[in-house]
Amino acid sequence: QVQLVESGGGLVQAGGSLRLSCAASGSIFRVNVMGWYRQAPGKQRELVATITTGGTTTYADAVKGRFTISRDNSKNMPYLQMNSLKPEDTAVYYCTVSHTNRGGIIYNDWGQGTQVTVSS
């Protein structure tokens, strides 16, 4: 079983920056994709960014040019650098890892989330 723990959230003023990290523990045979999602109050969870093992990234339109996803392959740890934060970025941010075990079964694990609050 893989456990994911996010860190780096907090309260920041508009225009500020935060860097989120996600620590993965447990046995991972092969990581497929890592990513970040967020969920604002009263809204559905939405994709923020993803990154593959090869480094291919995707971003939600709302964060393009402001957020950067990266990963440490040796630690199976993704990061999310968030710059020029806006009040509408306020949400709980979740780390997710898609990985495959030795038997070829794919798992999608999620962290508990970290709160990001951007004040105007």
Side-chain angles (χ1 to χ4, degrees):
Q1 183 177 359
V2 175
Q3 291 187 332
L4 304 177
V5 179
E6 302 93 339
S7 61
L11 173 64
V12 64
Q13 289 187 334
S17 299
L18 286 173
R19 178 177 168 86
L20 303 184
S21 300
C22 178
S25 61
S27 178
I28 296 179
F29 177 63
R30 186 178 70 243
V31 173
N32 303 318
V33 179
M34 290 186 167
W36 292 91
Y37 283 68
R38 68 185 182 185
Q39 187 167 18
K43 296 186 177 181
Q44 291 188 334
R45 191 173 298 188
E46 63 178 6
L47 170 71
V48 176
T50 63
I51 185 167
T52 67
T53 303
T56 300
T57 58
T58 60
Y59 293 94
D61 288 343
V63 306
K64 283 182 180 177
R66 299 188 297 120
F67 291 12
T68 302
I69 188 171
S70 59
R71 64 187 288 171
D72 182 334
N73 287 332
S74 65
K75 299 179 180 179
N76 292 323
M77 180 183 295
Y79 303 93
L80 186 67
Q81 178 66 43
M82 306 186 293
N83 298 328
S84 301
L85 283 161
K86 304 175 181 180
E88 50 263 45
D89 294 319
T90 295
V92 177
Y93 284 70
Y94 297 90
C95 167
T96 181
V97 175
S98 171
H99 58 98
T100 305
N101 71 2
R102 293 180 183 274
I105 298 174
I106 297 174
Y107 294 88
N108 295 302
D109 291 309
W110 293 82
Q112 294 298 308
T114 185
Q115 177 70 46
V116 172
T117 303
V118 185
S119 63
S120 58

